Amino acid sequence: MNIKAGILGVGSYLPTKVLDNFHFEKIMDTSDEWIKTRTGISERRVASDEETTSDLASNSALKAIECANLKPEDIDLIIVATATPDMVFPSTACLVQEKIGATNAAAFDISAACSGFIYGITIAKQFVENEMYKNVLVIGSETLSRALDYNDRSTSILFGDGAGAVVIGNVSSGGILSTHLGSDGKGKDFLSIPAGGSKQPASIHTVENNLHAIHMAGNDVYKFAVRIMGEASLKAIEAANLNKENIDYLIPHQANIRIIEASARRLKLPMDKVYINLHRYGNMSAASIPVALDEAYREGKINKGDNVVLVGFGGGLTWGACVIQWSL
Ligand code: ACO
């Protein structure tokens, strides 16, 4: 039998607490106007003190499994993409495996920052198409609010918490037509959480200097993102033997509205063919794309047979794009 990997179900979960831009006006030298015009963000979600990355991930996973008409026991493999795991180890994927009762699943995390979800579905596609696993759960989940320095106005206003998940398995039509991944370690210092690993283990020094928070060279990341989002999309479209005229919808990583608009221009797609929820959630790193995918599907923006491009970039530097012919 010819196995073609595609999306069997999709789900997402957002914490209920909302922080709007006016909150930041009160605690730092910024304004709603600056944040909205420079980034497109109006508000973001923040996990409660009791909620962890694996909680958000588990909630989104259960919705994706239900959407696929499956049970947690039907899942063979769990891949969690996150830059904010519950802890260094065990993996967040193992914690999810227990929380949702996926008793037959192997589980591991991947680290590719905001590109993690595209990396995850690329891995899942291989496992499904070589018939090692039937149903693979891929989750992007983040609690970035725990990794922010609220004294740094250039990063703390950008990020939010959330999770999105898909089940990848054999589909009878459409599926994941192509994926394209890339990385460039020369850009490692543009975006990082410098401490907490073997290079700079936790110490009073690392805590006092906020080295457990996200550090970013915003302008360098911006220039890289504007270039790579278009390039990566075009590579994935070419690998799917399609042209940009064949693309029905774009689901980009939600980092900055100006980066998204530049990507749409490169693909010659009007903005009504591009999903945007950045204004409501900010940048949720690995969770941005699956949350946007879930919302786009539920709002009827993508329909069976549509060619959908997913594209993201992030710390590493990393990037990834894929073309999915929607099969739900
Ligand atoms: N409020 C008010 N002023 C601010 C703020 C703020 N929140 N943040 C920065 N500024 C100031 C700066 O200090 C600077 O002031 P100066 O000119 O007096 O020095 C001025 O605004 C302009 O700063 P720039 O950094 O040039 O502003 P820019 O227009 O580039 O926007 C931004 C900054 C929004 C961060 C942009 O560079 C960007 O979006 N970069 C991409 C970031 C990104 O996508 N990161 C996520 C990667 S995903 C991952 O892997 C986690």
Side-chain angles (χ1 to χ4, degrees):
M1 193 168 73
N2 197 10
I3 303 280
K4 185 72 199 160
I7 292 179
L8 304 178
V10 56
S12 63
Y13 175 81
L14 283 312
T16 50
K17 184 173 172 190
V18 177
L19 274 194
D20 63 18
N21 292 344
F22 300 103
H23 165 83
F24 290 88
E25 280 189 355
K26 285 182 221 138
I27 61 169
M28 60 180 66
D29 181 16
T30 190
S31 66
D32 174 54
E33 165 70 15
W34 192 96
I35 300 171
K36 274 211 291 239
T37 32
R38 295 297 179 109
T39 71
I41 300 166
S42 297
E43 57 187 43
R44 68 290 288 143
R45 300 296 178 93
V46 176
S48 71
D49 290 347
E50 293 74 38
E51 280 178 316
T52 65
T53 296
S54 67
D55 292 323
L56 309 191
S58 300
N59 289 335
S60 69
L62 288 171
K63 291 185 184 174
I65 292 169
E66 190 189 348
C67 175
N69 285 319
L70 294 171
K71 296 191 289 304
E73 305 88 282
D74 298 323
I75 301 298
D76 304 301
L77 174 66
I78 301 172
I79 301 171
V80 174
T82 185
T84 48
D86 283 25
M87 57 191 99
V88 173
F89 75 88
S91 70
T92 301
C94 279
L95 307 178
V96 171
Q97 191 254 3
E98 192 210 3
K99 282 180 182 169
I100 67 171
T103 44
N104 297 308
F108 61 83
D109 288 359
I110 55 170
S111 169
C114 304
S115 317
F117 182 74
I118 307 281
Y119 272 66
I121 57 175
T122 304
I123 297 167
K125 174 176 158 68
Q126 315 309 314
F127 277 121
V128 168
E129 292 186 352
N130 71 21
E131 298 186 56
M132 183 159 173
Y133 294 124
K134 206 163 158 226
N135 300 312
V136 180
L137 186 59
V138 181
I139 309 170
S141 184
E142 304 283 4
T143 47
L144 292 152
S145 61
R146 308 264 159 80
L148 294 175
D149 171 2
Y150 285 96
N151 296 311
D152 179 359
R153 65 179 182 169
S154 67
T155 54
S156 57
I157 50 115
L158 295 175
F159 297 97
D161 301 342
V166 293
V167 180
I168 307 280
N170 184 30
V171 288
S172 49
S173 67
I176 303 164
L177 304 184
S178 67
T179 74
H180 165 77
L181 303 178
S183 63
D184 180 6
K186 286 197 206 79
K188 61 187 180 301
D189 297 325
F190 289 173
L191 253 170
S192 64
I193 297 180
S198 64
K199 189 173 179 191
Q200 295 193 74
S203 67
I204 289 169
H205 168 81
T206 62
V207 171
E208 282 178 350
N209 289 282
N210 280 320
L211 298 179
H212 297 274
I214 293 176
H215 289 243
M216 183 177 77
N219 251 300
D220 293 312
V221 177
Y222 184 88
K223 280 184 249 156
F224 154 74
V226 164
R227 176 176 60 81
I228 210 68
M229 292 278 274
E231 271 178 34
S233 301
L234 291 173
K235 287 218 165 111
I237 292 168
E238 193 186 332
N241 289 318
L242 296 174
N243 300 312
K244 37 185 194 225
E245 293 71 32
N246 306 120
I247 299 307
D248 298 297
Y249 209 75
L250 175 67
I251 302 204
H253 174 47
Q254 310 279 316
N256 185 310
I257 189 68
R258 295 178 288 146
I259 296 172
I260 295 174
E261 285 166 352
S263 318
R265 275 198 298 278
R266 189 84 191 268
L267 297 185
K268 294 200 163 46
L269 272 179
M271 286 308 282
D272 65 346
K273 296 285 177 195
V274 182
Y275 197 78
I276 293 164
N277 58 13
L278 170 78
H279 51 297
R280 289 183 277 133
Y281 304 138
N283 179 348
M284 297 185 290
S285 193
S288 277
I289 292 174
V291 170
L293 184 66
D294 183 44
E295 294 192 340
Y297 169 57
R298 283 171 209 285
E299 290 168 22
K301 308 261 198 235
I302 47 178
N303 295 291
K304 193 165 182 166
D306 283 352
N307 291 320
V308 182
V309 171
L310 314 185
V311 60
F313 66 94
L317 297 168
T318 57
W319 58 91
C322 65
V323 182
I324 298 178
Q325 196 172 88
W326 197 246
S327 33
L328 292 179

